[in-house]
Amino acid sequence: MLPRCEASVCHVLMLVLCLSAAEDFDWTKNNHGAFYYGTFPAGFSWGAGSSAYQTEGAWDKDGKGLSIWDVFSHKKGKILLNETGDSSCEGYYKIKDDVSLIKELKLNHYRFSISWPRLIPTGIKSDHINEKGIQYYDQLIDHLLENKITPIVTLYHWDLPQVLQEKYGGWQNISMVNHFNEFANLCFERFGNRIKYWITFNNPWSVAVEGYETGEHAPGLKLRGMGAYRAAHNIIKAHAKVWHTYDTQWRGKQKGMVGISLSGDWGEPVDISNQKDIEAAERYVQFYLGWFATPIFHGDYPQVMKDFVGRKSAQQGLGTSRLPTFSPQEKSYIKGTCDFLGIGHFTTRYITQKNNPSDRSSSSYFTDRDLAELVDPRWPDPGSEWLYSVPWGFRRLLNFVKTQYGNPMIYVTENGVSEKMSCTELCDEWRIQYFKEYINEMLKAIKDGVNVKGYTAWSLLDKFEWDEGYSERFGLYYVDFRNRNKPRYPKASVQFYKRVIASNGFPNQREVENWRRKAVETCSSSNQLLAAARRNSKEHTEMPKVWPEQRSTAANILRLIHDPLTSHMEMVTEIVVPTVCTLSILLSAIFLMFLLRRRN
Ligand code: NOJ
């Protein structure tokens, strides 16, 4: 026990040091208000989400072609511990199981994505259509509908057919626009009688920046300063084309909607009285969400992007801006191609102005913005390194969307938090806290007049978390990846989310507190179930460990607070030790008195 005690003291000391070293921001200026008790508008849609490559597995089964993620994850050194999505949650074989989990939560909708190479193995429609792939999605859709769950379908959640990458350079090439449109058209034709919500792209920011600028994601290209802008340009055109295809060929009979799911962190000025910080924070959001949303709602890139990338390009001696331009015809073709806007949001940053050098060698999307990102070390960060829980940022982002893009219809398509655990932990109190506070900020945004129609918790299951492998768990349901059957276990947050859905919000403090308490109580029995299954499992293999040292200090503190062993330790010091001491003193006193009496 002693080393653990020392570790706790050490962590507390580290946090104190860390806090005193932190920037001296004026936090009092950010008054983020109290919890708001109330309900969502009638008909508000509650859901959870997943994506094909992250959950399906069956990467080479039933005629599926290779995607860029299949190839990328099989290269050594690209993914943490060289994990792959080859089998992942085996979702391909578990339609019934997963729909029953969705039913258990009483969700109104379920968001999933279609794997392009599962339907069209080479990505080129005229080559071959894989009917077995069509059958799989047919079954999933039918099963959802039989259970009164509305499917929300994403057409592109990052798994481009590998052939298109090899042959054309993927999203660097304008020919993707037509290939993607043909794939989308096939989906409208085969599934559109049952699907009313289509999302063209999921988080194109990540595709562009991490796929073609930093190379952390597939296809792993590092085309700094150019690649991301070119990929985004083609993606925006592809989105617009698919929207028009639906609008002219399918909307009349199918009566659905086509949107896009954009991600955006909120950027808050470090010093809200400093004009330079205010502008830097605005730039941060414009380079993130605005990069895609502004062309789609207003027909062109944000002015600030055109100005900054244009100026830097000129300073670098380039004849034209590295940010491509849309022709007048393209602008009017792209403008207004969004029936609803999907928002994926997880976290917030403090932003301050920072001038970056303009030489050609350091040119990149990141340096183009002339800003620095900061975080408050007191923000909880229970999982992914980048994911700090800052609920008030969510309300601000939603209000930003309302004012910038004419109050569009919004579906929150992703929101949630991960955990890094080397051992079983179904009592995810920090996730309950995250959901409670973020959903509450969304409720406040609706009261502000933001037109949010639905919310999608990310994610239904733990799954393959891209370059982080299986080390970050976002699921409401825990997946035992060590077991070949990939069994699912409910975390405490399932109980909590279920109650939010059943009440369509937060009725009153007493009840909401009760939900939290009950959820945490029931999870210990699920924990025991999982532990027993582990003991009995013959397939038990050692999982990679994420060592505590790899976690940030704040995360360590949080873990200590929630660690059952630590609370047991506290109980021992607070109750058992004093009781034993008192009893020993009493007994010694009695014994002494007895001895003295005998002497007399
Ligand atoms: C956004 C991505 O769309 C999703 O696939 C991923 O799991 C989450 N970010 C969390 O990293």
Side-chain angles (χ1 to χ4, degrees):
M1 232 176 233
L2 204 63
R4 274 195 93 85
C5 281
E6 281 171 356
S8 320
V9 173
C10 231
H11 282 126
V12 172
L13 276 176
M14 275 167 74
L15 183 73
V16 170
L17 283 175
C18 193
L19 284 178
S20 50
E23 306 261 341
D24 193 16
F25 303 142
D26 192 352
W27 307 110
T28 53
K29 288 189 187 144
N30 286 310
N31 178 11
H32 305 304
F35 197 84
Y36 179 87
Y37 290 94
T39 51
F40 284 82
F44 189 82
S45 191
W46 297 98
S50 72
S51 84
Y53 187 72
Q54 292 182 280
T55 52
E56 280 178 8
W59 70 293
D60 59 350
K61 297 290 184 301
D62 291 345
K64 176 183 165 292
L66 289 182
S67 80
I68 52 173
W69 273 96
D70 291 316
V71 173
F72 187 70
S73 66
H74 281 105
K75 286 187 188 149
K76 290 270 163 295
K78 299 293 181 194
I79 311 292
L80 186 71
L81 301 162
N82 293 318
E83 299 280 7
T84 72
D86 290 2
S87 57
S88 190
C89 310
E90 301 278 23
Y92 187 69
Y93 303 105
K94 287 180 177 284
I95 292 182
K96 290 219 162 123
D97 301 66
D98 290 343
V99 173
S100 68
L101 303 181
I102 296 167
K103 271 181 73 181
E104 165 67 23
L105 277 160
K106 297 220 165 52
L107 299 181
N108 306 108
H109 71 258
Y110 177 56
R111 176 183 176 219
F112 64 92
S113 79
I114 294 182
S115 157
W116 183 351
R118 200 180 284 291
L119 292 201
I120 307 176
T122 62
I124 302 164
K125 192 175 161 199
S126 55
D127 284 351
H128 173 61
I129 294 171
N130 179 30
E131 290 299 330
K132 285 219 166 133
I134 304 255
Q135 270 167 33
Y136 164 68
Y137 293 109
D138 266 338
Q139 280 168 18
L140 173 59
I141 293 165
D142 289 344
H143 204 57
L144 286 168
L145 291 174
E146 278 157 25
N147 288 287
K148 303 196 169 34
I149 300 149
T150 304
I152 298 188
V153 176
T154 309
L155 292 166
Y156 189 84
H157 203 123
W158 308 357
D159 42 2
L160 185 79
Q162 174 67 11
V163 171
L164 295 180
Q165 187 64 46
E166 280 170 17
K167 240 181 158 167
Y168 304 108
W171 291 107
Q172 291 301 292
N173 194 305
I174 185 73
S175 66
M176 286 310 98
V177 175
N178 282 337
H179 292 304
F180 182 63
N181 185 54
E182 297 223 320
F183 160 61
N185 204 21
L186 174 70
C187 293
F188 297 151
E189 181 193 331
R190 300 297 191 92
F191 310 124
N193 56 342
R194 289 156 291 162
I195 303 297
K196 303 301 158 209
Y197 297 88
W198 293 101
I199 291 168
T200 54
F201 287 90
N202 173 73
N203 189 354
W205 181 92
S206 211
V207 177
V209 173
E210 293 172 301
Y212 295 90
E213 171 96 19
T214 66
E216 290 159 289
H217 282 187
L221 298 176
K222 295 179 181 155
L223 311 169
R224 292 188 199 278
M226 299 282 260
Y229 296 130
R230 208 183 291 131
H233 205 63
N234 292 327
I235 288 173
I236 292 165
K237 287 181 182 177
H239 160 81
K241 177 137 192 168
V242 167
W243 186 89
H244 281 285
T245 298
Y246 190 81
D247 198 45
T248 53
Q249 295 180 37
W250 302 102
R251 192 190 296 280
K253 15 183 193 269
Q254 297 185 348
K255 312 228 171 333
M257 295 197 287
V258 177
I260 187 167
S261 172
L262 303 179
S263 291
D265 293 354
W266 176 244
E268 182 76 6
V270 164
D271 176 357
I272 53 168
S273 62
N274 178 335
Q275 189 56 25
K276 289 229 175 307
D277 280 2
I278 294 171
E279 284 167 16
E282 161 91 15
R283 233 171 20 251
Y284 177 78
V285 181
Q286 292 294 3
F287 266 76
Y288 211 139
L289 183 80
W291 184 5
F292 299 89
T294 318
I296 289 169
F297 287 98
H298 300 309
D300 201 0
Y301 291 120
Q303 191 57 43
V304 73
M305 276 189 90
K306 294 198 282 187
D307 292 347
F308 270 65
V309 186
R311 188 165 41 80
K312 295 247 173 199
S313 305
Q315 286 165 353
Q316 287 152 359
L318 299 169
T320 51
S321 174
R322 285 181 280 101
L323 185 71
T325 50
F326 295 115
S327 70
Q329 291 86 336
E330 284 169 342
K331 285 182 192 168
S332 55
Y333 185 74
I334 292 165
K335 185 176 171 177
T337 55
C338 203
D339 303 322
F340 67 91
L341 179 63
I343 289 288
H345 175 78
F346 292 88
T347 194
T348 282
R349 293 286 181 267
Y350 276 104
I351 305 294
T352 187
Q353 151 81 26
K354 176 179 174 268
N355 289 331
N356 290 315
S358 298
D359 56 297
R360 207 183 278 193
S361 62
S362 62
S363 98
S364 86
Y365 161 85
F366 293 100
T367 52
D368 283 342
R369 303 175 305 173
D370 274 351
L371 55 84
E373 300 176 36
L374 297 145
V375 294
D376 179 349
R378 285 167 291 189
W379 288 342
D381 66 334
S384 313
E385 223 131 69
W386 53 272
L387 207 172
Y388 293 82
S389 175
V390 195
W392 51 263
F394 192 21
R395 179 180 180 183
R396 292 183 184 209
L397 182 79
L398 291 170
N399 272 284
F400 176 90
V401 170
K402 174 185 166 224
T403 50
Q404 292 268 320
Y405 312 119
N407 205 10
M409 181 193 292
I410 296 176
Y411 277 82
V412 173
T413 40
E414 284 185 22
N415 175 243
V417 66
S418 55
E419 75 239 19
K420 271 185 185 164
M421 285 288 153
S422 55
C423 56
T424 311
E425 185 55 279
L426 300 178
C427 301
D428 55 347
E429 283 183 75
W430 61 91
R431 183 171 287 106
I432 292 179
Q433 191 66 14
Y434 181 99
F435 278 139
K436 181 181 157 203
E437 292 177 351
Y438 270 77
I439 293 173
N440 198 246
E441 291 299 317
M442 174 175 67
L443 179 57
K444 290 179 192 170
I446 292 174
K447 302 288 168 197
D448 297 335
V450 184
N451 189 14
V452 187
K453 294 288 189 196
Y455 174 85
T456 314
W458 193 258
S459 48
L460 181 70
L461 305 175
D462 290 338
K463 58 194 170 353
F464 180 81
E465 190 48 43
W466 310 112
D467 52 323
E468 299 298 337
Y470 293 95
S471 66
E472 296 177 9
R473 294 174 172 272
F474 275 84
L476 285 156
Y477 285 89
Y478 179 95
V479 177
D480 185 359
F481 293 108
R482 298 186 232 189
N483 185 324
R484 216 170 288 148
N485 293 325
K486 311 292 167 80
R488 285 82 158 121
Y489 296 86
K491 298 180 192 173
S493 49
V494 165
Q495 302 308 324
F496 184 80
Y497 189 36
K498 224 171 119 169
R499 294 203 157 87
V500 174
I501 296 171
S503 305
N504 198 31
F506 307 98
N508 58 61
Q509 189 174 1
R510 196 176 41 82
E511 230 172 290
V512 175
E513 197 31 54
N514 245 344
W515 296 348
R516 201 197 55 80
R517 202 172 37 73
K518 280 196 188 139
V520 176
E521 267 166 27
T522 49
C523 74
S524 56
S525 55
S526 323
N527 256 342
Q528 281 163 13
L529 217 76
L530 173 56
R534 283 264 173 79
R535 279 195 296 276
N536 297 336
S537 169
K538 292 204 176 69
E539 293 154 330
H540 188 107
T541 51
E542 224 10 76
M543 267 296 264
K545 282 208 174 70
V546 177
W547 297 103
E549 286 82 338
Q550 290 178 328
R551 304 164 59 92
S552 68
T553 312
N556 272 325
I557 295 288
L558 203 84
R559 193 178 65 91
L560 284 166
I561 292 166
H562 294 293
D563 190 332
L565 207 77
T566 323
S567 27
H568 177 69
M569 193 175 80
E570 278 161 12
M571 201 188 83
V572 167
T573 50
E574 282 163 23
I575 302 169
V576 182
V577 174
T579 315
V580 169
C581 285
T582 319
L583 275 176
S584 316
I585 293 166
L586 264 173
L587 280 174
S588 316
I590 293 170
F591 186 61
L592 261 175
M593 277 168 61
F594 174 75
L595 277 181
L596 285 173
R597 275 191 154 197
R598 282 201 64 184
R599 272 206 186 162
N600 296 339

